Amino acid sequence: MRVGTDQLFVEIDERTGTVSSMRSSLNPSLEFAGNALNTSYESFQRGPWLGDLAFRIWLGEDRWQRELTTASGDVREVTRDGDDVVVSYSRPSRNESGIQSMRVVQRWTSDEEGLTFTTRLENPGDTVLEVGELAAAFVMNMDYEGIFKDRSIVDRGTGELQRIWHEERVQQHLHLAGRGSYALYQRPAGDAPVLFVAPTADGSWENAYQIDKDIACQWRVTFEGPYYIAAHTRATRLEEGWLKDSRRQQLSANGNSSLIIPPHGMAEWGFRFRVLQDATEVFQALVDNGQVAVEVLPSPAVPSGETVQVVVGSRTPVTMTSESTNLEITELAPCAGKQVFAVTLPTPGEKRLLIHSSGQLATRILLYATVDPKTALRRHAQFIVERQQYNNPSDPYGRDGAFLPYDHDIHAIWTESEECFQVGGSDELSFTIGMYLAEKNARFPVQSQIDVLDDFLDRFVLRRLQDPQSLRIRAGVYLGPVEYPSRQFCEWTAEDAAADTRYNNYVLFAAFYYALYRIARHGAETRRSAADYLSLAWRTLVLGYEIGVTRAAGAPAGEYQFELLELLQNEDAEGYAALAPHLEAYGAGVVADPYPFGSELFIDQTAHSQVYHGLVRYGSGDAAARALEVVRAMRTGFQPCWFRYGVDERGSVCLWYATPQNSEVLFRGFEATGRIDYLKLAHGGLSSFMAPMLENGGARGWYTWWPDRLGFDPRSLDSALGLFNYLRAAKSYVVREAVGTVGYGCRVETADGVHHITPWEGVNQRMWVDDHGWNIDASRGSVAAVVSAPALLEITFENSGGPVDVTVTECRPHPATVLRVREAPGAAVSPVPGGIRIEGFDASGTLRIERLSGGQP
């Protein structure tokens, strides 16, 4: 039974009254709905499907009764009413868990813009009916595990399986914020159409949670299974025991309410479905749907003390109040028919804004004021030195000198784990701690920290992890309980720990050596020469390509390899000759494969950065553009919420290490194309990654926001790898928008066309001033302030006592333009494509650069 138009239609199963298909003429081959053909989970073979509902009814005497449409087939009637399809449950079901307490009438109807699915609940009794759960099963075409099950790690990473995942499945982007809620569904390929789903104008979404918890979890490679989206969850919270063992009395962010239906009364709840050409249309789609739309500039996460602009679209005027303490809210002049509010966040932590429309709460916005990024990044390095190096010669596994994860619950190094890779000194959770420390000191050197890096290298890395002659890298040194018959795959035997063919480890170790090379080249005291570290870098990387199992796939933090290759071309002919053929072969592979984005987890986000840079170097502009759309699709929900906005989609896991890594890709995409959506999503993800940082310099792990799993993991997990990526990605951008000049990663004050810019993203080495056409990249030194005008750029550096190396180019070079340094005593000035490079500049001075000979930015 079909309802809808070619723009969007559903097929309703006459037996179950649920959706068996949802498609659009914009891409007729794309199935949005989950069904028996594309969903392999055994527990779903008889539903629930899209259109099924779940209820919990209060019976009194501390009892709730679960009632399900899936269990009510004995009373279900599916009929036509003109062009509509009506699914009715008009009398009590005799089945266990069937609908017994009320009459339920569902209706699918369509118009030229989309579909509406409404449910009317009628209370036939003489007493009040309390519905403590009202939830709709959103079983969409999101069974990823069924594609890759029982396939090898190599087969999963490229080729046909990746094509199926990118073209024949959809990703879900949820925003749960009362009447401002919505969901977007889009192919991982990143193209049209995008399915927009929201509550009808007076409706609300309170929570979302797994239908079957046994299908998957945040630790599984497929993340999580299908979800209920719920308007009322009072009973669900109590019956499912959400947070009962950790935060027993805590309610969910949107509350946990019940629906009260008076005697012989009724209530309605509905959903609106429509297709969009692009996710950027979600703001207007919300307004069209009678909801309140919100955008936060520059993003919902900024350092404490900074001010954001909250842009609100609504059919009726709104008011804004604070649910948090000490927020400063000022309404500004409207812009293009939208209300604009300035909100200052004076202290660190989550901040909540309430937006009211027509006297009702329309939506709740979650912001986050982070600790100062500059301070946090430097303190984290010292935290590592003081608290995360394991100095224990008696350790039975030989981890003396290693860096290990940190548990902030007990304020101690984390030394034991069921998953041996986590505490074995190698891999993303342990070794990347040293990577961060090295990359930080390549940019901001501290001799005592550099001494610790060399100590780590000599006492642990080249003694226990990596053979100093062959450079083969062990999986780790920590072992599991090998004597137990119940031993799991992650509990390593000695043979497991000695395995040396993990490609990713070679990429991570080479990044560490590359940073040490830069430290030594800049004159710091090190135990080896710069040439020695450089040799270790390329030899390690080459070995990874020779023996690594997944070398055809991208690795975490792998983008630096192409930068290293360019360096070798000038600094080490032997290294260049050894590495270049491997990267060329890798480049040929990603150019030939439409979806070369798989990795060890096959649908996560770790490969995308290396793939994009490989396509830029070896492929065409079209191939790189497609990669940008795939990266964008992972975070394209545009949710005005600090842990979702610009964050790669990974089920309930937010703020893991790929987010800043892929922000760098989207930053490059903005610079290449001028697309502001790339910039917004890139900066949003980057700035939110400061939220796990603590004032003492420690870093927590992932953030999860589901009703039964809430908050940061108190262990550091792989946050160091994310912070390594942050150091390489962070950049300030100054862009003109409808509301005025906006600083992404910086504070901007503009007078008479001149920008006075103070960076706050923490690295403070790179800046793009879009309207004036300046692009700054300081490889040594730190920018304190910039004054930008169309023909003159003034850069003031932090006076750290050391020299500054900086490159200034034009954002869009003009052949008739010349850049000239007014004065730079003692510095070496040389031309580069599109600009100039200044090396050895005295940081105590102000660098002034003129644009001459015409040419507009």
Side-chain angles (χ1 to χ4, degrees), residues 451-478:
D451 294 341
V452 170
L453 286 167
D454 269 327
D455 176 73
F456 167 63
L457 179 58
D458 289 337
R459 190 152 55 106
F460 180 68
V461 176
L462 292 179
R463 179 178 293 180
R464 295 287 292 131
L465 272 186
Q466 186 175 26
D467 185 278
Q469 278 75 47
S470 70
L471 298 186
R472 286 178 174 261
I473 301 170
R474 295 170 55 93
V477 298
Y478 182 78

Side-chain angles (χ1 to χ4, degrees), residues 357-372:
S357 175
S358 302
Q360 291 184 309
L361 177 62
T363 192
R364 176 183 278 103
I365 303 301
L366 304 183
L367 310 177
Y368 201 99
T370 70
V371 297
D372 173 57

Side-chain angles (χ1 to χ4, degrees), residues 610-623:
Q610 183 175 327
V611 168
Y612 172 74
H613 285 276
L615 290 171
V616 169
R617 185 177 182 91
Y618 298 109
S620 67
D622 289 344

